[in-house]
Amino acid sequence: QVQLVESGGGLVQAGGSLRLSCAASAIIFSIYNMGWYRQAPGKQRELVAEITRGGTTNYADSVKGRFTISRNNTKNTAYLQMNNLKPEDTAVYYCKADPPIGSSWPRGLWGQGTQVTVSS
């Protein structure tokens, strides 16, 4: 059974930092691109950041310069370092794994989500 296990959420004051982690199985991590999404109450889930197997990154405009996505291929873990957090960053954050386009591996693997709350 494929699993993505997230950790690192919590409550932080505006301007603070948190680091989210997403652990996956070795075979998944060796094949899949990884991403972080978030969903605030009453809003649609949105892409925050993504990173390919080769390390190419992409960020939502709202988090550029504040968030950094990375992956440790030895630990089979993806990270989202979030700095200078704002109240509007409050959401449930989800890890997602997708194989490269054209791959026959299953698409859209999601973690269970971790709550991030930023107080003003």
Side-chain angles (χ1 to χ4, degrees), residues 61-102:
D61 287 343
S62 59
V63 306
K64 283 181 180 177
R66 300 189 297 123
F67 291 10
T68 303
I69 189 170
S70 61
R71 60 190 296 161
N72 185 319
N73 293 333
T74 300
K75 295 184 177 180
N76 301 322
T77 302
Y79 303 97
L80 184 67
Q81 177 66 44
M82 305 184 294
N83 298 329
N84 190 21
L85 282 159
K86 303 176 180 181
E88 52 264 43
D89 294 318
T90 295
V92 178
Y93 283 70
Y94 296 91
C95 179
K96 184 186 181 187
D98 275 308
I101 294 174

PDB file of all heavy atoms in Angstrom, residues 61-102:
ATOM      1  N   ASP A  61       2.793  31.933  -6.804  1.00  0.00           N
ATOM      2  CA  ASP A  61       3.274  33.306  -6.642  1.00  0.00           C
ATOM      3  C   ASP A  61       3.159  33.781  -5.194  1.00  0.00           C
ATOM      4  O   ASP A  61       3.994  34.543  -4.707  1.00  0.00           O
ATOM      5  CB  ASP A  61       2.485  34.248  -7.551  1.00  0.00           C
ATOM      6  CG  ASP A  61       2.851  34.092  -9.011  1.00  0.00           C
ATOM      7  OD1 ASP A  61       3.916  33.509  -9.303  1.00  0.00           O
ATOM      8  OD2 ASP A  61       2.060  34.539  -9.870  1.00  0.00           O
ATOM      9  N   SER A  62       2.139  33.312  -4.498  1.00  0.00           N
ATOM     10  CA  SER A  62       1.873  33.784  -3.142  1.00  0.00           C
ATOM     11  C   SER A  62       2.926  33.341  -2.131  1.00  0.00           C
ATOM     12  O   SER A  62       3.003  33.900  -1.035  1.00  0.00           O
ATOM     13  CB  SER A  62       0.501  33.309  -2.680  1.00  0.00           C
ATOM     14  OG  SER A  62       0.434  31.890  -2.703  1.00  0.00           O
ATOM     15  N   VAL A  63       3.734  32.342  -2.485  1.00  0.00           N
ATOM     16  CA  VAL A  63       4.727  31.840  -1.530  1.00  0.00           C
ATOM     17  C   VAL A  63       6.162  32.028  -2.010  1.00  0.00           C
ATOM     18  O   VAL A  63       7.102  31.711  -1.277  1.00  0.00           O
ATOM     19  CB  VAL A  63       4.487  30.351  -1.200  1.00  0.00           C
ATOM     20  CG1 VAL A  63       3.050  30.130  -0.738  1.00  0.00           C
ATOM     21  CG2 VAL A  63       4.817  29.460  -2.378  1.00  0.00           C
ATOM     22  N   LYS A  64       6.341  32.533  -3.215  1.00  0.00           N
ATOM     23  CA  LYS A  64       7.696  32.730  -3.734  1.00  0.00           C
ATOM     24  C   LYS A  64       8.493  33.645  -2.807  1.00  0.00           C
ATOM     25  O   LYS A  64       8.013  34.684  -2.366  1.00  0.00           O
ATOM     26  CB  LYS A  64       7.640  33.324  -5.137  1.00  0.00           C
ATOM     27  CG  LYS A  64       7.287  32.325  -6.226  1.00  0.00           C
ATOM     28  CD  LYS A  64       7.265  32.991  -7.598  1.00  0.00           C
ATOM     29  CE  LYS A  64       6.903  31.985  -8.678  1.00  0.00           C
ATOM     30  NZ  LYS A  64       6.798  32.622 -10.011  1.00  0.00           N
ATOM     31  N   GLY A  65       9.718  33.224  -2.541  1.00  0.00           N
ATOM     32  CA  GLY A  65      10.578  34.000  -1.661  1.00  0.00           C
ATOM     33  C   GLY A  65      10.393  33.705  -0.191  1.00  0.00           C
ATOM     34  O   GLY A  65      11.196  34.142   0.642  1.00  0.00           O
ATOM     35  N   ARG A  66       9.342  32.970   0.158  1.00  0.00           N
ATOM     36  CA  ARG A  66       9.088  32.624   1.565  1.00  0.00           C
ATOM     37  C   ARG A  66       9.175  31.122   1.814  1.00  0.00           C
ATOM     38  O   ARG A  66       9.608  30.696   2.882  1.00  0.00           O
ATOM     39  CB  ARG A  66       7.704  33.120   1.984  1.00  0.00           C
ATOM     40  CG  ARG A  66       7.516  34.626   1.857  1.00  0.00           C
ATOM     41  CD  ARG A  66       6.200  35.077   2.494  1.00  0.00           C
ATOM     42  NE  ARG A  66       5.042  34.497   1.835  1.00  0.00           N
ATOM     43  CZ  ARG A  66       4.125  33.767   2.470  1.00  0.00           C
ATOM     44  NH1 ARG A  66       4.232  33.521   3.771  1.00  0.00           N
ATOM     45  NH2 ARG A  66       3.080  33.279   1.797  1.00  0.00           N
ATOM     46  N   PHE A  67       8.731  30.338   0.869  1.00  0.00           N
ATOM     47  CA  PHE A  67       8.708  28.878   1.012  1.00  0.00           C
ATOM     48  C   PHE A  67       9.776  28.257   0.125  1.00  0.00           C
ATOM     49  O   PHE A  67      10.053  28.754  -0.976  1.00  0.00           O
ATOM     50  CB  PHE A  67       7.351  28.315   0.600  1.00  0.00           C
ATOM     51  CG  PHE A  67       6.201  28.649   1.512  1.00  0.00           C
ATOM     52  CD1 PHE A  67       6.321  29.588   2.532  1.00  0.00           C
ATOM     53  CD2 PHE A  67       4.985  28.012   1.357  1.00  0.00           C
ATOM     54  CE1 PHE A  67       5.261  29.903   3.365  1.00  0.00           C
ATOM     55  CE2 PHE A  67       3.910  28.298   2.174  1.00  0.00           C
ATOM     56  CZ  PHE A  67       4.048  29.255   3.172  1.00  0.00           C
ATOM     57  N   THR A  68      10.322  27.136   0.589  1.00  0.00           N
ATOM     58  CA  THR A  68      11.297  26.385  -0.184  1.00  0.00           C
ATOM     59  C   THR A  68      10.949  24.909  -0.136  1.00  0.00           C
ATOM     60  O   THR A  68      10.826  24.338   0.954  1.00  0.00           O
ATOM     61  CB  THR A  68      12.715  26.592   0.343  1.00  0.00           C
ATOM     62  OG1 THR A  68      13.045  27.991   0.334  1.00  0.00           O
ATOM     63  CG2 THR A  68      13.723  25.830  -0.509  1.00  0.00           C
ATOM     64  N   ILE A  69      10.806  24.309  -1.306  1.00  0.00           N
ATOM     65  CA  ILE A  69      10.571  22.875  -1.383  1.00  0.00           C
ATOM     66  C   ILE A  69      11.890  22.187  -1.692  1.00  0.00           C
ATOM     67  O   ILE A  69      12.719  22.705  -2.449  1.00  0.00           O
ATOM     68  CB  ILE A  69       9.505  22.529  -2.453  1.00  0.00           C
ATOM     69  CG1 ILE A  69       9.108  21.058  -2.355  1.00  0.00           C
ATOM     70  CG2 ILE A  69       9.966  22.901  -3.852  1.00  0.00           C
ATOM     71  CD1 ILE A  69       7.897  20.691  -3.211  1.00  0.00           C
ATOM     72  N   SER A  70      12.091  21.029  -1.074  1.00  0.00           N
ATOM     73  CA  SER A  70      13.310  20.265  -1.322  1.00  0.00           C
ATOM     74  C   SER A  70      12.998  18.783  -1.144  1.00  0.00           C
ATOM     75  O   SER A  70      11.918  18.416  -0.677  1.00  0.00           O
ATOM     76  CB  SER A  70      14.427  20.700  -0.367  1.00  0.00           C
ATOM     77  OG  SER A  70      14.051  20.464   0.973  1.00  0.00           O
ATOM     78  N   ARG A  71      13.946  17.961  -1.543  1.00  0.00           N
ATOM     79  CA  ARG A  71      13.768  16.529  -1.361  1.00  0.00           C
ATOM     80  C   ARG A  71      15.112  15.895  -1.018  1.00  0.00           C
ATOM     81  O   ARG A  71      16.153  16.315  -1.563  1.00  0.00           O
ATOM     82  CB  ARG A  71      13.151  15.871  -2.597  1.00  0.00           C
ATOM     83  CG  ARG A  71      13.941  16.003  -3.880  1.00  0.00           C
ATOM     84  CD  ARG A  71      13.115  15.541  -5.081  1.00  0.00           C
ATOM     85  NE  ARG A  71      12.792  14.121  -5.015  1.00  0.00           N
ATOM     86  CZ  ARG A  71      11.805  13.552  -5.709  1.00  0.00           C
ATOM     87  NH1 ARG A  71      11.025  14.300  -6.485  1.00  0.00           N
ATOM     88  NH2 ARG A  71      11.588  12.257  -5.617  1.00  0.00           N
ATOM     89  N   ASN A  72      15.071  14.933  -0.135  1.00  0.00           N
ATOM     90  CA  ASN A  72      16.250  14.180   0.255  1.00  0.00           C
ATOM     91  C   ASN A  72      16.057  12.767  -0.257  1.00  0.00           C
ATOM     92  O   ASN A  72      15.269  11.994   0.297  1.00  0.00           O
ATOM     93  CB  ASN A  72      16.420  14.200   1.779  1.00  0.00           C
ATOM     94  CG  ASN A  72      17.703  13.536   2.235  1.00  0.00           C
ATOM     95  OD1 ASN A  72      18.087  12.493   1.704  1.00  0.00           O
ATOM     96  ND2 ASN A  72      18.365  14.137   3.192  1.00  0.00           N
ATOM     97  N   ASN A  73      16.761  12.431  -1.327  1.00  0.00           N
ATOM     98  CA  ASN A  73      16.562  11.136  -1.970  1.00  0.00           C
ATOM     99  C   ASN A  73      17.144   9.980  -1.156  1.00  0.00           C
ATOM    100  O   ASN A  73      16.818   8.821  -1.417  1.00  0.00           O
ATOM    101  CB  ASN A  73      17.166  11.148  -3.372  1.00  0.00           C
ATOM    102  CG  ASN A  73      16.422  12.096  -4.295  1.00  0.00           C
ATOM    103  OD1 ASN A  73      15.238  12.361  -4.103  1.00  0.00           O
ATOM    104  ND2 ASN A  73      17.115  12.617  -5.289  1.00  0.00           N
ATOM    105  N   THR A  74      17.969  10.292  -0.177  1.00  0.00           N
ATOM    106  CA  THR A  74      18.493   9.246   0.710  1.00  0.00           C
ATOM    107  C   THR A  74      17.471   8.888   1.782  1.00  0.00           C
ATOM    108  O   THR A  74      17.304   7.718   2.140  1.00  0.00           O
ATOM    109  CB  THR A  74      19.799   9.702   1.365  1.00  0.00           C
ATOM    110  OG1 THR A  74      20.757   9.973   0.339  1.00  0.00           O
ATOM    111  CG2 THR A  74      20.332   8.645   2.308  1.00  0.00           C
ATOM    112  N   LYS A  75      16.763   9.901   2.255  1.00  0.00           N
ATOM    113  CA  LYS A  75      15.769   9.686   3.305  1.00  0.00           C
ATOM    114  C   LYS A  75      14.359   9.487   2.746  1.00  0.00           C
ATOM    115  O   LYS A  75      13.417   9.295   3.509  1.00  0.00           O
ATOM    116  CB  LYS A  75      15.767  10.879   4.270  1.00  0.00           C
ATOM    117  CG  LYS A  75      17.062  11.040   5.045  1.00  0.00           C
ATOM    118  CD  LYS A  75      16.960  12.184   6.052  1.00  0.00           C
ATOM    119  CE  LYS A  75      18.243  12.286   6.869  1.00  0.00           C
ATOM    120  NZ  LYS A  75      18.180  13.387   7.859  1.00  0.00           N
ATOM    121  N   ASN A  76      14.225   9.562   1.411  1.00  0.00           N
ATOM    122  CA  ASN A  76      12.910   9.384   0.772  1.00  0.00           C
ATOM    123  C   ASN A  76      11.881  10.351   1.351  1.00  0.00           C
ATOM    124  O   ASN A  76      10.731   9.982   1.625  1.00  0.00           O
ATOM    125  CB  ASN A  76      12.412   7.943   0.923  1.00  0.00           C
ATOM    126  CG  ASN A  76      13.366   6.943   0.314  1.00  0.00           C
ATOM    127  OD1 ASN A  76      13.951   7.192  -0.728  1.00  0.00           O
ATOM    128  ND2 ASN A  76      13.541   5.817   0.983  1.00  0.00           N
ATOM    129  N   THR A  77      12.300  11.577   1.536  1.00  0.00           N
ATOM    130  CA  THR A  77      11.457  12.575   2.186  1.00  0.00           C
ATOM    131  C   THR A  77      11.505  13.891   1.417  1.00  0.00           C
ATOM    132  O   THR A  77      12.582  14.322   1.002  1.00  0.00           O
ATOM    133  CB  THR A  77      11.897  12.803   3.641  1.00  0.00           C
ATOM    134  OG1 THR A  77      11.846  11.562   4.350  1.00  0.00           O
ATOM    135  CG2 THR A  77      10.999  13.814   4.334  1.00  0.00           C
ATOM    136  N   ALA A  78      10.341  14.489   1.259  1.00  0.00           N
ATOM    137  CA  ALA A  78      10.236  15.831   0.701  1.00  0.00           C
ATOM    138  C   ALA A  78       9.918  16.801   1.827  1.00  0.00           C
ATOM    139  O   ALA A  78       9.257  16.442   2.804  1.00  0.00           O
ATOM    140  CB  ALA A  78       9.153  15.889  -0.369  1.00  0.00           C
ATOM    141  N   TYR A  79      10.381  18.035   1.659  1.00  0.00           N
ATOM    142  CA  TYR A  79      10.215  19.042   2.698  1.00  0.00           C
ATOM    143  C   TYR A  79       9.600  20.318   2.118  1.00  0.00           C
ATOM    144  O   TYR A  79       9.767  20.622   0.930  1.00  0.00           O
ATOM    145  CB  TYR A  79      11.560  19.393   3.329  1.00  0.00           C
ATOM    146  CG  TYR A  79      12.306  18.221   3.911  1.00  0.00           C
ATOM    147  CD1 TYR A  79      13.296  17.572   3.183  1.00  0.00           C
ATOM    148  CD2 TYR A  79      12.014  17.762   5.188  1.00  0.00           C
ATOM    149  CE1 TYR A  79      13.982  16.498   3.711  1.00  0.00           C
ATOM    150  CE2 TYR A  79      12.696  16.679   5.728  1.00  0.00           C
ATOM    151  CZ  TYR A  79      13.674  16.054   4.982  1.00  0.00           C
ATOM    152  OH  TYR A  79      14.346  14.979   5.514  1.00  0.00           O
ATOM    153  N   LEU A  80       8.926  21.038   2.980  1.00  0.00           N
ATOM    154  CA  LEU A  80       8.479  22.380   2.643  1.00  0.00           C
ATOM    155  C   LEU A  80       8.876  23.285   3.804  1.00  0.00           C
ATOM    156  O   LEU A  80       8.276  23.215   4.882  1.00  0.00           O
ATOM    157  CB  LEU A  80       6.970  22.435   2.414  1.00  0.00           C
ATOM    158  CG  LEU A  80       6.442  23.798   1.950  1.00  0.00           C
ATOM    159  CD1 LEU A  80       6.960  24.112   0.545  1.00  0.00           C
ATOM    160  CD2 LEU A  80       4.915  23.838   1.980  1.00  0.00           C
ATOM    161  N   GLN A  81       9.899  24.082   3.581  1.00  0.00           N
ATOM    162  CA  GLN A  81      10.331  25.057   4.582  1.00  0.00           C
ATOM    163  C   GLN A  81       9.519  26.323   4.368  1.00  0.00           C
ATOM    164  O   GLN A  81       9.552  26.910   3.278  1.00  0.00           O
ATOM    165  CB  GLN A  81      11.818  25.342   4.434  1.00  0.00           C
ATOM    166  CG  GLN A  81      12.336  26.405   5.392  1.00  0.00           C
ATOM    167  CD  GLN A  81      12.283  25.969   6.845  1.00  0.00           C
ATOM    168  OE1 GLN A  81      12.638  24.841   7.167  1.00  0.00           O
ATOM    169  NE2 GLN A  81      11.833  26.857   7.726  1.00  0.00           N
ATOM    170  N   MET A  82       8.802  26.731   5.385  1.00  0.00           N
ATOM    171  CA  MET A  82       7.923  27.891   5.292  1.00  0.00           C
ATOM    172  C   MET A  82       8.403  28.962   6.250  1.00  0.00           C
ATOM    173  O   MET A  82       8.413  28.754   7.472  1.00  0.00           O
ATOM    174  CB  MET A  82       6.478  27.481   5.624  1.00  0.00           C
ATOM    175  CG  MET A  82       5.953  26.340   4.783  1.00  0.00           C
ATOM    176  SD  MET A  82       4.222  25.943   5.094  1.00  0.00           S
ATOM    177  CE  MET A  82       4.333  25.336   6.772  1.00  0.00           C
ATOM    178  N   ASN A  83       8.846  30.080   5.696  1.00  0.00           N
ATOM    179  CA  ASN A  83       9.331  31.204   6.481  1.00  0.00           C
ATOM    180  C   ASN A  83       8.412  32.408   6.314  1.00  0.00           C
ATOM    181  O   ASN A  83       7.642  32.488   5.357  1.00  0.00           O
ATOM    182  CB  ASN A  83      10.754  31.577   6.045  1.00  0.00           C
ATOM    183  CG  ASN A  83      11.750  30.470   6.273  1.00  0.00           C
ATOM    184  OD1 ASN A  83      11.621  29.675   7.210  1.00  0.00           O
ATOM    185  ND2 ASN A  83      12.750  30.402   5.413  1.00  0.00           N
ATOM    186  N   ASN A  84       8.518  33.327   7.249  1.00  0.00           N
ATOM    187  CA  ASN A  84       7.712  34.554   7.202  1.00  0.00           C
ATOM    188  C   ASN A  84       6.238  34.214   6.957  1.00  0.00           C
ATOM    189  O   ASN A  84       5.595  34.779   6.063  1.00  0.00           O
ATOM    190  CB  ASN A  84       8.235  35.493   6.114  1.00  0.00           C
ATOM    191  CG  ASN A  84       7.595  36.862   6.170  1.00  0.00           C
ATOM    192  OD1 ASN A  84       7.064  37.267   7.207  1.00  0.00           O
ATOM    193  ND2 ASN A  84       7.625  37.579   5.062  1.00  0.00           N
ATOM    194  N   LEU A  85       5.727  33.321   7.750  1.00  0.00           N
ATOM    195  CA  LEU A  85       4.352  32.868   7.578  1.00  0.00           C
ATOM    196  C   LEU A  85       3.360  33.983   7.846  1.00  0.00           C
ATOM    197  O   LEU A  85       3.585  34.854   8.703  1.00  0.00           O
ATOM    198  CB  LEU A  85       4.074  31.666   8.490  1.00  0.00           C
ATOM    199  CG  LEU A  85       4.634  30.347   7.963  1.00  0.00           C
ATOM    200  CD1 LEU A  85       4.789  29.339   9.087  1.00  0.00           C
ATOM    201  CD2 LEU A  85       3.740  29.794   6.866  1.00  0.00           C
ATOM    202  N   LYS A  86       2.269  33.933   7.099  1.00  0.00           N
ATOM    203  CA  LYS A  86       1.217  34.933   7.207  1.00  0.00           C
ATOM    204  C   LYS A  86      -0.101  34.245   7.586  1.00  0.00           C
ATOM    205  O   LYS A  86      -0.274  33.052   7.310  1.00  0.00           O
ATOM    206  CB  LYS A  86       1.038  35.653   5.870  1.00  0.00           C
ATOM    207  CG  LYS A  86       2.305  36.314   5.351  1.00  0.00           C
ATOM    208  CD  LYS A  86       2.083  36.915   3.973  1.00  0.00           C
ATOM    209  CE  LYS A  86       3.347  37.568   3.451  1.00  0.00           C
ATOM    210  NZ  LYS A  86       3.140  38.179   2.111  1.00  0.00           N
ATOM    211  N   PRO A  87      -1.033  34.973   8.194  1.00  0.00           N
ATOM    212  CA  PRO A  87      -2.323  34.352   8.534  1.00  0.00           C
ATOM    213  C   PRO A  87      -3.007  33.716   7.329  1.00  0.00           C
ATOM    214  O   PRO A  87      -3.676  32.680   7.480  1.00  0.00           O
ATOM    215  CB  PRO A  87      -3.126  35.528   9.088  1.00  0.00           C
ATOM    216  CG  PRO A  87      -2.097  36.438   9.675  1.00  0.00           C
ATOM    217  CD  PRO A  87      -0.913  36.337   8.737  1.00  0.00           C
ATOM    218  N   GLU A  88      -2.819  34.282   6.157  1.00  0.00           N
ATOM    219  CA  GLU A  88      -3.448  33.702   4.959  1.00  0.00           C
ATOM    220  C   GLU A  88      -2.807  32.393   4.510  1.00  0.00           C
ATOM    221  O   GLU A  88      -3.308  31.748   3.593  1.00  0.00           O
ATOM    222  CB  GLU A  88      -3.439  34.708   3.800  1.00  0.00           C
ATOM    223  CG  GLU A  88      -2.090  35.315   3.502  1.00  0.00           C
ATOM    224  CD  GLU A  88      -1.902  36.674   4.173  1.00  0.00           C
ATOM    225  OE1 GLU A  88      -2.279  36.816   5.359  1.00  0.00           O
ATOM    226  OE2 GLU A  88      -1.342  37.581   3.504  1.00  0.00           O
ATOM    227  N   ASP A  89      -1.718  31.990   5.145  1.00  0.00           N
ATOM    228  CA  ASP A  89      -1.128  30.681   4.880  1.00  0.00           C
ATOM    229  C   ASP A  89      -1.830  29.576   5.669  1.00  0.00           C
ATOM    230  O   ASP A  89      -1.533  28.388   5.469  1.00  0.00           O
ATOM    231  CB  ASP A  89       0.360  30.680   5.239  1.00  0.00           C
ATOM    232  CG  ASP A  89       1.180  31.602   4.358  1.00  0.00           C
ATOM    233  OD1 ASP A  89       0.947  31.618   3.130  1.00  0.00           O
ATOM    234  OD2 ASP A  89       2.072  32.289   4.901  1.00  0.00           O
ATOM    235  N   THR A  90      -2.725  29.951   6.549  1.00  0.00           N
ATOM    236  CA  THR A  90      -3.454  28.967   7.341  1.00  0.00           C
ATOM    237  C   THR A  90      -4.266  28.048   6.431  1.00  0.00           C
ATOM    238  O   THR A  90      -5.054  28.509   5.599  1.00  0.00           O
ATOM    239  CB  THR A  90      -4.393  29.670   8.336  1.00  0.00           C
ATOM    240  OG1 THR A  90      -3.600  30.402   9.277  1.00  0.00           O
ATOM    241  CG2 THR A  90      -5.265  28.664   9.072  1.00  0.00           C
ATOM    242  N   ALA A  91      -4.044  26.743   6.577  1.00  0.00           N
ATOM    243  CA  ALA A  91      -4.707  25.754   5.722  1.00  0.00           C
ATOM    244  C   ALA A  91      -4.285  24.361   6.162  1.00  0.00           C
ATOM    245  O   ALA A  91      -3.369  24.210   6.980  1.00  0.00           O
ATOM    246  CB  ALA A  91      -4.335  25.969   4.257  1.00  0.00           C
ATOM    247  N   VAL A  92      -4.949  23.380   5.598  1.00  0.00           N
ATOM    248  CA  VAL A  92      -4.447  22.010   5.685  1.00  0.00           C
ATOM    249  C   VAL A  92      -3.507  21.805   4.498  1.00  0.00           C
ATOM    250  O   VAL A  92      -3.889  22.078   3.356  1.00  0.00           O
ATOM    251  CB  VAL A  92      -5.584  20.981   5.658  1.00  0.00           C
ATOM    252  CG1 VAL A  92      -5.012  19.565   5.698  1.00  0.00           C
ATOM    253  CG2 VAL A  92      -6.543  21.211   6.822  1.00  0.00           C
ATOM    254  N   TYR A  93      -2.315  21.357   4.787  1.00  0.00           N
ATOM    255  CA  TYR A  93      -1.303  21.150   3.756  1.00  0.00           C
ATOM    256  C   TYR A  93      -1.205  19.660   3.435  1.00  0.00           C
ATOM    257  O   TYR A  93      -1.109  18.819   4.342  1.00  0.00           O
ATOM    258  CB  TYR A  93       0.046  21.688   4.228  1.00  0.00           C
ATOM    259  CG  TYR A  93       0.122  23.186   4.147  1.00  0.00           C
ATOM    260  CD1 TYR A  93      -0.617  23.989   5.018  1.00  0.00           C
ATOM    261  CD2 TYR A  93       0.919  23.823   3.197  1.00  0.00           C
ATOM    262  CE1 TYR A  93      -0.563  25.371   4.941  1.00  0.00           C
ATOM    263  CE2 TYR A  93       0.985  25.205   3.112  1.00  0.00           C
ATOM    264  CZ  TYR A  93       0.233  25.972   3.983  1.00  0.00           C
ATOM    265  OH  TYR A  93       0.287  27.351   3.901  1.00  0.00           O
ATOM    266  N   TYR A  94      -1.215  19.368   2.146  1.00  0.00           N
ATOM    267  CA  TYR A  94      -1.190  17.990   1.673  1.00  0.00           C
ATOM    268  C   TYR A  94       0.039  17.749   0.811  1.00  0.00           C
ATOM    269  O   TYR A  94       0.393  18.584  -0.032  1.00  0.00           O
ATOM    270  CB  TYR A  94      -2.422  17.688   0.828  1.00  0.00           C
ATOM    271  CG  TYR A  94      -3.726  17.766   1.563  1.00  0.00           C
ATOM    272  CD1 TYR A  94      -4.440  18.959   1.609  1.00  0.00           C
ATOM    273  CD2 TYR A  94      -4.268  16.649   2.193  1.00  0.00           C
ATOM    274  CE1 TYR A  94      -5.649  19.045   2.280  1.00  0.00           C
ATOM    275  CE2 TYR A  94      -5.472  16.722   2.868  1.00  0.00           C
ATOM    276  CZ  TYR A  94      -6.156  17.923   2.900  1.00  0.00           C
ATOM    277  OH  TYR A  94      -7.351  18.007   3.568  1.00  0.00           O
ATOM    278  N   CYS A  95       0.639  16.615   0.994  1.00  0.00           N
ATOM    279  CA  CYS A  95       1.711  16.150   0.122  1.00  0.00           C
ATOM    280  C   CYS A  95       1.086  15.344  -1.014  1.00  0.00           C
ATOM    281  O   CYS A  95       0.129  14.587  -0.789  1.00  0.00           O
ATOM    282  CB  CYS A  95       2.668  15.287   0.937  1.00  0.00           C
ATOM    283  SG  CYS A  95       4.045  14.612   0.008  1.00  0.00           S
ATOM    284  N   LYS A  96       1.614  15.520  -2.207  1.00  0.00           N
ATOM    285  CA  LYS A  96       1.117  14.784  -3.366  1.00  0.00           C
ATOM    286  C   LYS A  96       2.295  14.256  -4.166  1.00  0.00           C
ATOM    287  O   LYS A  96       3.316  14.925  -4.298  1.00  0.00           O
ATOM    288  CB  LYS A  96       0.268  15.690  -4.258  1.00  0.00           C
ATOM    289  CG  LYS A  96      -0.371  14.967  -5.431  1.00  0.00           C
ATOM    290  CD  LYS A  96      -1.083  15.941  -6.358  1.00  0.00           C
ATOM    291  CE  LYS A  96      -1.747  15.208  -7.508  1.00  0.00           C
ATOM    292  NZ  LYS A  96      -2.300  16.134  -8.522  1.00  0.00           N
ATOM    293  N   ALA A  97       2.131  13.059  -4.697  1.00  0.00           N
ATOM    294  CA  ALA A  97       3.150  12.453  -5.549  1.00  0.00           C
ATOM    295  C   ALA A  97       2.527  12.107  -6.895  1.00  0.00           C
ATOM    296  O   ALA A  97       1.433  11.548  -6.953  1.00  0.00           O
ATOM    297  CB  ALA A  97       3.728  11.203  -4.890  1.00  0.00           C
ATOM    298  N   ASP A  98       3.220  12.437  -7.953  1.00  0.00           N
ATOM    299  CA  ASP A  98       2.796  12.109  -9.310  1.00  0.00           C
ATOM    300  C   ASP A  98       3.979  11.574 -10.097  1.00  0.00           C
ATOM    301  O   ASP A  98       5.075  12.131 -10.005  1.00  0.00           O
ATOM    302  CB  ASP A  98       2.247  13.340 -10.028  1.00  0.00           C
ATOM    303  CG  ASP A  98       0.790  13.596  -9.731  1.00  0.00           C
ATOM    304  OD1 ASP A  98      -0.015  12.654  -9.888  1.00  0.00           O
ATOM    305  OD2 ASP A  98       0.467  14.734  -9.336  1.00  0.00           O
ATOM    306  N   PRO A  99       3.753  10.544 -10.913  1.00  0.00           N
ATOM    307  CA  PRO A  99       4.842  10.046 -11.746  1.00  0.00           C
ATOM    308  C   PRO A  99       5.035  10.973 -12.936  1.00  0.00           C
ATOM    309  O   PRO A  99       4.172  11.803 -13.240  1.00  0.00           O
ATOM    310  CB  PRO A  99       4.324   8.678 -12.194  1.00  0.00           C
ATOM    311  CG  PRO A  99       2.847   8.867 -12.255  1.00  0.00           C
ATOM    312  CD  PRO A  99       2.505   9.805 -11.127  1.00  0.00           C
ATOM    313  N   PRO A 100       6.137  10.884 -13.618  1.00  0.00           N
ATOM    314  CA  PRO A 100       6.345  11.705 -14.817  1.00  0.00           C
ATOM    315  C   PRO A 100       5.242  11.443 -15.844  1.00  0.00           C
ATOM    316  O   PRO A 100       4.680  10.346 -15.908  1.00  0.00           O
ATOM    317  CB  PRO A 100       7.699  11.234 -15.331  1.00  0.00           C
ATOM    318  CG  PRO A 100       8.390  10.686 -14.134  1.00  0.00           C
ATOM    319  CD  PRO A 100       7.314  10.069 -13.294  1.00  0.00           C
ATOM    320  N   ILE A 101       4.937  12.438 -16.639  1.00  0.00           N
ATOM    321  CA  ILE A 101       3.909  12.304 -17.671  1.00  0.00           C
ATOM    322  C   ILE A 101       4.288  11.170 -18.616  1.00  0.00           C
ATOM    323  O   ILE A 101       5.429  11.061 -19.045  1.00  0.00           O
ATOM    324  CB  ILE A 101       3.754  13.634 -18.436  1.00  0.00           C
ATOM    325  CG1 ILE A 101       3.206  14.705 -17.480  1.00  0.00           C
ATOM    326  CG2 ILE A 101       2.823  13.460 -19.636  1.00  0.00           C
ATOM    327  CD1 ILE A 101       3.150  16.077 -18.083  1.00  0.00           C
ATOM    328  N   GLY A 102       3.304  10.346 -18.911  1.00  0.00           N
ATOM    329  CA  GLY A 102       3.543   9.215 -19.785  1.00  0.00           C
ATOM    330  C   GLY A 102       3.866   7.934 -19.048  1.00  0.00           C
ATOM    331  O   GLY A 102       3.885   6.858 -19.645  1.00  0.00           O
TER     332      GLY A 102
END
